[in-house]
Amino acid sequence: METYLVFVDAVRNSNKFWSAKVEGSQLIIKWGRVGYKSQTKVHSLASKQSTGDF
């Protein structure tokens, strides 16, 4: 599953995004300005956890 967030503020010329997804035992985070090269950070998780309903 992937979560994707976008922030737009036309007055301040801000158009940013964030995405997060879990692949196996890794959490992959990407962020940046829409239309430009994103930054990426990968976190290693201790173990794969099942997702439950909140």
Side-chain angles (χ1 to χ4, degrees):
M1 177 168 83
E2 183 172 5
T3 300
Y4 194 80
L5 303 170
V6 177
F7 173 79
V8 177
D9 184 343
V11 173
R12 295 187 176 139
N13 193 28
S14 183
N15 192 5
K16 300 174 185 175
F17 74 93
W18 297 264
S19 74
K21 67 180 173 178
V22 174
E23 288 183 354
S25 63
Q26 293 185 323
L27 171 63
I28 302 167
I29 308 291
K30 293 185 180 186
W31 70 95
R33 185 173 172 90
V34 173
Y36 291 83
K37 186 175 179 182
S38 64
Q39 296 184 60
T40 303
K41 179 129 184 167
V42 178
H43 299 274
S44 295
L45 305 173
S47 65
K48 184 177 178 180
Q49 297 179 357
S50 62
T51 57
D53 294 335
F54 295 99

